[in-house]
Amino acid sequence: MRVLLLLFLLFQLHRSTAARPPRMTESAALLSIKSAITDDPLSALSSWNTSTSHCTWKGVICDASGRHVTAVDISNLGLTGTLSSDVGHLRFLLNLNTANNSLSGPIPPEISNIWNLRYLNLSNNNFNLRFPKELSRLKNLQVLDVYNNNMTDVIPTEVSLLTNLRHLHLGGNFFSGRIPPEYGTFPNLEYLAVSGNELTGEIPKELGNLTRLKELYIGYYNTFSGGLPKEIGNLSQLVRFDAANCALSGSIPAEIGRLQNLDTLFLQVNVLSGPLTPEIGDLKSLKSMDLSNNMLSGEIPPAFAQLKNLTLLNLFRNKLTGSIPEFIGELPELEVLQLWENNFTGSIPQNLGTNGNMQEVDVSSNKLTGNLPPNLCFGNKLQILITLGNFLFGPIPDSLGQCESLSRVRMGENYLNGSIPRGLLSLPMLTQVELQDNLLSGTFPVTEKLSMSLGQISLSNNHLTGPLPPSIGNFAGIQKLLLDGNKFSGQIPAEIGKLQQLSKMDFSHNSFSGPIAPQISQCKVLTFVDLSRNQLSGDIPTELTTMRILNYLNLSRNHLVGSIPASISSMQSLTAVDFSYNNLSGLVPGTGQFSYFNYTSFLGNPDLCGPYLGPCKAGIVNGVQRPHEKGTFSPSMKLLLVIGLLVCSIVFAVAAIIKARSLKKASEARAWKLTAFQRLDFTSDDVLDCLKEDNIIGKGGAGIVYKGVMSNGEEVAVKRLPAMSRGSSHDHGFNAEIQTLGRIRHRHIVRLLEYAYTLKVDEKSDVYSFGVVLLELVTGRKPVGEFGDGVDIVQWVRKMTDGNKEGVLKILDPRLPTVPLHEVMHVFYVAMLCVEEQAVERPTMREVVQILSELPKPPSSKPENSATTVSPPPPLSTLESPKDTKDHQPQTQPPQSPPPDLLSI
């Protein structure tokens, strides 16, 4: 019997040994991991070779005995490839970190063989397919981070079996389904993030059982039904709660006031309604609160006066009413106050800013009255001040003229009076000043210092008087100078030619006199010039015709004399001009660019002649009066000329008829217009060939959908809209469909950065797209997907650089360390022009080409043969987070993965 038992045990041992895969050495497993890497741009794994001990390889840590690998950290190396399944042979591994690379393919289920693994960070890669259920066997795992990958399928319930987890980050993927109620059973969980997925359903009340939870992130791209469960109030240890942009509805539960440790509450971009919950005032630890972009109503509760630690208060884009409470100005730590687009009335609290900490104030688009607070910049920390679109009156506080921290001032569309504070336009950090549509008086301020940062001055529609000072030339970085609708007088100073960055200049509706300053032509990037409705006199300077990218020129309603320079015909970028109502004379050329101009551009000049203006007076040719010369043609010669002209007319008429018929056939053949948002390998004719009955795959109120196979084998879906009567605005839901597609984040749908936002396609949409491409070249980043949920490359660049080309070093691709700085700045400048929010502010593609070709010279202070080169920017970890990119909504830093040292978790 004993012999049989012994034989049975030996047989079982043999079976288990045979079933187990052969054990690979740890060095061989590491080399297998390296072999699965297809691109190592930094040669970071060059030390991984058999000539040295694997314990000395970069990113590899062994135990004290040197026998076993306990940690592998290959994060932030720019690696491309897959993660080898042989990683499962590193049986003694405690820490595996592959974050911030471009690894793709599935997550190897063999990782589950590393039974003692404590830390697994696979974030910021391209891992796809489903989450391997086998990983639920890692009972000792404390940190699991797969943030920002391409994983699909239903959000895994099995991870709830990892009872030792303290940090779980599943955000930034394409997980679907509901948040499993089982997620409320983690006994030790301190960090939970499921944001940035495609989750639906209600938020499970079981999450309220996570009494050790400190951080909870559930927003962005998820679309939950219902509101916040009141059980959220049970999370007594919660410090940060972010449920932004996830379709929450209903009111904010009063139980949220029990979260005494909460310092961050983000509920913006939802459909929350009802009054502001007074119990929020019980959150004594609260520092940042963003409830913007909801449907909240009523007044700001008096209980909010207890929020003594509050630094950020965002309530913009709601339906709030009443006055802004005086206690808002008494919050001792308040730094950011954004209340724009509500229905607030009354005055701005006059004590706002006296805490010495204010950095940003935006109360625009309300119904506020009264004076501006006098001490907004008391601590000299104020950076942004926006009061646009209210009913404010009184003077601009003189203290703003000494606020050296100020970068943006937007106080237009009010009833402010008095003069512009002395020193305001000389502030060292100032980038934008908008004071248009007020009642300001006085003169244009004299500045003594050269300003490189100020990019826009808008003083339109005020009561400003006097001449422009020569110090206008000190604004070396100005791009837009808008002075229209004032009472400025005197000559336009020659120093205007020093503004080498000026792209838009509007001096219309003033009383400028004297000749047009020819130095304007020295502003080589000017695209828009409006000097209309002034008292300008003299000839049109021929120097203006050297402006190679000028697009718009308006000199109407002045007292200009002489002829229109014929060389304007060669200004290929010029598409709109207006010379009307002057005293110009002579022949208007009919060639070149003049063939594009409307005849109304020349009205009100009785002595002008030419196409559409009538014949020239006797003896006037090209604006020159010449003595009458007697004709030399005989009567017979004149008859021959008439007959010849008649024959030519008949020939041209026949040719025109033939041409019209051919154009009609061609237009019928090309009745469909194809607008491409990316490079395509098929034409509109290929699309039309798909419109057959056999290819129909769906019908609905918005049209018929056809399946098509292009000549290159690519399959497409073609939607044909129903015919609409002329003048009809009914699009059968097509616009709503495009808006929905534009909001979807999916691997097979590229977000239409411009069209999805505006539903307008024109040439300026192409310009916007080209600007995005330029930003991709400068930054080395994709347009979406790298900057956090809901943020694209344009928003990120604006946040990082504040739109200033001097900030290009912050976003420059580190692979471009030797590119001349002035070239990079020039390309960045063009890119930011192309992605202006308003289409009318963007240049045409013709202008873009011209601007790019006008490459500025390198700084003259450098030796002739040397060029300023770009140093690579510091690592992203030392910069502002790319997720913190909203123009109006500051947010906290995104949750970062824990450090490799488990003792610090």
Side-chain angles (χ1 to χ4, degrees):
M1 187 64 182
R2 292 180 178 177
V3 174
L4 290 175
L5 180 59
L6 180 60
L7 289 174
F8 176 76
L9 292 175
L10 289 174
F11 176 72
Q12 289 296 107
L13 179 62
H14 174 73
R15 282 186 59 189
S16 63
T17 304
R20 184 184 304 165
R23 181 68 60 87
M24 179 182 288
T25 65
E26 293 185 350
S27 60
L30 291 171
L31 291 175
S32 178
I33 293 174
K34 178 182 178 180
S35 66
I37 302 299
T38 58
D39 185 24
D40 180 7
L42 304 178
S43 299
L45 303 185
S46 59
S47 63
W48 290 33
N49 58 73
T50 56
S51 63
T52 58
S53 168
H54 63 274
C55 291
T56 65
W57 296 352
K58 180 180 176 64
V60 177
I61 298 176
C62 293
D63 59 14
S65 66
R67 296 176 56 194
H68 299 297
V69 176
T70 57
V72 173
D73 186 352
I74 54 174
S75 60
N76 299 290
L77 300 179
L79 303 175
T80 302
T82 61
L83 182 58
S84 171
S85 60
D86 290 331
V87 68
H89 290 283
L90 301 175
R91 301 297 176 88
F92 295 88
L93 204 61
L94 299 176
N95 182 331
L96 177 58
N97 189 353
T98 70
N100 298 308
N101 286 295
S102 297
L103 302 179
S104 57
I107 295 176
E110 289 80 3
I111 293 177
S112 62
N113 295 329
I114 313 174
W115 63 275
N116 203 29
L117 192 65
R118 309 289 180 85
Y119 178 97
L120 178 59
N121 189 349
L122 308 177
S123 63
N124 292 294
N125 280 285
N126 298 314
F127 290 116
N128 53 27
L129 303 182
R130 52 178 287 275
F131 182 87
K133 297 180 180 180
E134 294 83 352
L135 297 191
S136 62
R137 300 202 298 260
L138 298 173
K139 302 301 182 182
N140 294 311
L141 198 62
Q142 298 181 22
V143 173
L144 175 57
D145 193 339
V146 294
Y147 168 70
N148 197 21
N149 281 283
N150 295 320
M151 307 190 70
T152 57
D153 209 344
V154 177
I155 188 169
T157 304
E158 296 77 15
V159 296
S160 62
L161 300 176
L162 303 175
T163 55
N164 282 311
L165 271 185
R166 297 168 63 183
H167 182 109
L168 175 60
H169 202 331
L170 303 175
N173 284 282
F174 297 95
F175 290 125
S176 58
R178 298 168 176 255
I179 299 177
E182 291 83 353
Y183 281 18
T185 63
F186 290 106
N188 301 305
L189 199 64
E190 298 177 1
Y191 182 107
L192 174 61
V194 295
S195 53
N197 282 290
E198 297 172 353
L199 304 177
T200 55
E202 295 184 352
I203 300 171
K205 62 182 181 180
E206 287 80 2
L207 293 185
N209 298 329
L210 301 175
T211 55
R212 293 192 178 184
L213 198 65
K214 295 181 179 179
E215 299 185 44
L216 176 59
Y217 303 88
I218 61 175
Y220 306 103
Y221 294 109
N222 297 321
T223 52
F224 299 118
S225 56
L228 291 173
K230 62 181 182 180
E231 287 77 9
I232 289 291
N234 296 335
L235 304 177
S236 57
Q237 300 300 312
L238 199 63
V239 175
R240 294 184 179 178
F241 181 34
D242 189 345
N245 195 9
C246 58
L248 294 177
S249 59
S251 60
I252 301 173
E255 289 77 7
I256 206 165
R258 291 155 49 185
L259 306 178
Q260 291 298 298
N261 291 306
L262 196 68
D263 76 1
T264 301
L265 176 61
F266 285 166
L267 299 176
Q268 70 270 18
V269 196
N270 284 295
V271 285
L272 296 170
S273 58
L276 291 170
T277 305
E279 286 77 7
I280 291 177
D282 296 333
L283 302 176
K284 302 298 193 300
S285 301
L286 196 62
K287 295 180 179 179
S288 300
M289 179 168 66
D290 195 336
L291 306 180
S292 62
N293 280 282
N294 279 287
M295 301 178 66
L296 300 169
S297 57
E299 300 185 3
I300 298 177
F304 281 21
Q306 303 175 62
L307 301 175
K308 301 298 185 181
N309 290 308
L310 200 63
T311 62
L312 179 145
L313 177 59
N314 283 352
L315 300 176
F316 59 87
R317 280 189 172 164
N318 277 288
K319 298 181 178 180
L320 301 174
T321 56
S323 61
I324 302 174
E326 286 294 318
F327 68 73
I328 294 293
E330 298 170 359
L331 297 175
E333 304 297 329
L334 192 62
E335 299 174 357
V336 176
L337 176 65
Q338 297 200 94
L339 305 177
W340 49 281
E341 285 193 22
N342 279 286
N343 292 304
F344 288 118
T345 55
S347 61
I348 302 173
Q350 292 300 293
N351 55 359
L352 188 65
T354 54
N355 66 358
N357 292 315
M358 291 305 304
Q359 299 179 16
E360 182 172 348
V361 175
D362 190 342
V363 294
S364 58
S365 301
N366 281 286
K367 297 179 176 62
L368 298 170
T369 59
N371 295 328
L372 288 167
N375 298 308
L376 285 167
C377 192
F378 180 70
N380 204 29
K381 297 179 181 179
L382 188 66
Q383 300 174 17
I384 297 175
L385 175 59
I386 305 178
T387 65
L388 187 73
N390 281 287
F391 300 94
L392 301 172
F393 51 81
I396 299 174
D398 290 336
S399 58
L400 293 180
Q402 287 79 46
C403 185
E404 295 190 349
S405 58
L406 204 55
S407 65
R408 295 178 61 201
V409 175
R410 303 186 67 198
M411 297 191 292
E413 301 174 30
N414 282 285
Y415 295 92
L416 300 174
N417 55 34
S419 59
I420 300 173
R422 182 175 181 177
L424 180 64
L425 300 186
S426 302
L427 296 175
M429 307 296 293
L430 201 61
T431 62
Q432 180 183 26
V433 175
E434 291 184 10
L435 301 175
Q436 74 280 1
D437 299 298
N438 278 290
L439 304 173
L440 298 174
S441 57
T443 60
F444 190 95
V446 176
T447 58
E448 299 177 356
K449 300 178 181 179
L450 190 68
S451 173
M452 297 298 297
S453 60
L454 187 54
Q456 177 180 350
I457 298 177
S458 179
L459 304 178
S460 308
N461 302 318
N462 279 285
H463 299 156
L464 299 170
T465 58
L468 288 183
S471 62
I472 192 80
N474 287 340
F475 299 113
I478 200 74
Q479 299 173 23
K480 295 180 183 178
L481 183 56
L482 311 178
L483 308 180
D484 54 295
N486 283 284
K487 299 177 182 179
F488 289 117
S489 58
Q491 294 191 15
I492 299 175
E495 288 77 7
I496 200 79
K498 295 180 180 180
L499 308 183
Q500 295 296 300
Q501 303 298 323
L502 190 63
S503 63
K504 184 173 183 178
M505 170 184 175
D506 193 345
F507 287 6
S508 62
H509 290 78
N510 279 286
S511 298
F512 289 112
S513 59
I516 297 174
Q519 291 82 2
I520 292 176
S521 63
Q522 298 172 12
C523 304
K524 296 301 183 182
V525 296
L526 259 177
T527 63
F528 183 103
V529 175
D530 192 343
L531 303 178
S532 63
R533 297 179 184 270
N534 280 286
Q535 307 294 324
L536 298 171
S537 58
D539 294 340
I540 298 175
T542 56
E543 290 87 347
L544 296 183
T545 64
T546 64
M547 303 175 70
R548 297 180 57 186
I549 63 172
L550 188 64
N551 174 248
Y552 179 91
L553 176 62
N554 191 345
L555 304 178
S556 64
R557 299 185 184 274
N558 281 286
H559 304 297
L560 302 174
V561 298
S563 61
I564 298 175
S567 51
I568 289 179
S569 62
S570 62
M571 298 176 67
Q572 297 182 1
S573 63
L574 193 61
T575 57
V577 298
D578 194 345
F579 300 113
S580 62
Y581 300 98
N582 280 284
N583 297 314
L584 300 171
S585 59
L587 176 66
V588 176
T591 60
Q593 290 302 109
F594 282 97
S595 62
Y596 297 102
F597 302 151
N598 195 298
Y599 79 98
T600 57
S601 301
F602 308 100
L603 295 178
N605 293 279
D607 292 331
L608 280 180
C609 58
Y612 306 108
L613 297 175
C616 295
K617 295 180 180 179
I620 294 181
V621 179
N622 293 330
V624 180
Q625 191 103 13
R626 295 190 178 179
H628 179 71
E629 297 181 4
K630 184 177 180 180
T632 58
F633 291 116
S634 63
S636 58
M637 181 64 71
K638 292 179 180 179
L639 179 61
L640 289 175
L641 286 174
V642 171
I643 294 173
L645 290 174
L646 181 60
V647 172
C648 290
S649 299
I650 294 173
V651 172
F652 280 122
V654 173
I657 293 173
I658 296 174
K659 182 67 174 178
R661 289 178 177 175
S662 64
L663 288 175
K664 182 178 180 181
K665 293 180 180 179
S667 64
E668 291 175 350
R670 296 189 298 268
W672 288 51
K673 180 183 178 183
L674 180 65
T675 302
F677 291 94
Q678 62 188 57
R679 182 177 178 180
L680 301 177
D681 294 327
F682 53 85
T683 66
S684 58
D685 292 333
D686 295 323
V687 176
L688 292 176
D689 289 340
C690 304
L691 306 183
K692 300 175 182 178
E693 193 72 21
D694 295 340
N695 292 341
I696 294 177
I697 58 176
K699 294 183 179 180
I704 303 174
V705 180
Y706 299 82
K707 176 184 178 181
V709 180
M710 301 294 99
S711 56
N712 61 355
E714 184 175 359
E715 293 186 354
V716 299
V718 181
K719 168 159 282 192
R720 183 175 187 175
L721 299 181
M724 292 184 288
S725 59
R726 179 171 297 180
S728 172
S729 61
H730 196 325
D731 65 357
H732 302 273
F734 178 68
N735 279 355
E737 187 170 328
I738 290 297
Q739 282 182 317
T740 301
L741 287 173
R743 287 191 294 263
I744 291 176
R745 185 180 65 110
H746 194 275
R747 65 187 60 77
H748 298 317
I749 298 179
V750 178
R751 193 172 197 189
L752 308 180
L753 288 178
E754 167 73 352
Y755 186 42
Y757 298 156
T758 66
L759 295 179
K760 296 178 181 178
V761 176
D762 53 21
E763 182 198 3
K764 294 302 180 73
S765 299
D766 294 334
V767 173
Y768 188 97
S769 300
F770 183 72
V772 172
V773 172
L774 291 181
L775 291 179
E776 291 182 65
L777 291 175
V778 171
T779 64
R781 294 175 176 269
K782 299 175 183 177
V784 293
E786 297 190 22
F787 315 103
D789 302 324
V791 176
D792 58 50
I793 191 172
V794 177
Q795 296 169 314
W796 176 69
V797 166
R798 284 195 179 121
K799 180 66 176 179
M800 295 294 291
T801 67
D802 202 21
N804 293 326
K805 62 183 182 180
E806 288 76 14
V808 72
L809 291 178
K810 298 179 181 178
I811 52 98
L812 185 65
D813 189 340
R815 294 171 295 182
L816 304 175
T818 59
V819 177
L821 176 58
H822 71 288
E823 294 183 11
V824 175
M825 294 173 66
H826 187 62
V827 173
F828 175 74
Y829 167 74
V830 175
M832 297 310 291
L833 287 179
C834 293
V835 297
E836 283 279 359
E837 293 183 4
Q838 300 297 324
V840 295
E841 300 289 346
R842 302 173 200 148
T844 63
M845 282 306 300
R846 177 181 293 173
E847 294 166 359
V848 169
V849 173
Q850 292 282 355
I851 298 174
L852 284 173
S853 64
E854 292 288 330
L855 184 66
K857 296 180 180 179
S860 57
S861 61
K862 297 289 181 183
E864 184 174 322
N865 294 329
S866 67
T868 304
T869 57
V870 178
S871 299
L876 187 60
S877 59
T878 65
L879 293 174
E880 194 170 354
S881 167
K883 286 188 71 174
D884 187 13
T885 56
K886 289 199 270 183
D887 185 38
H888 277 291
Q889 291 176 239
Q891 291 198 8
T892 58
Q893 291 274 46
Q896 298 182 354
S897 300
D901 181 8
L902 290 174
L903 295 178
S904 64
I905 298 177

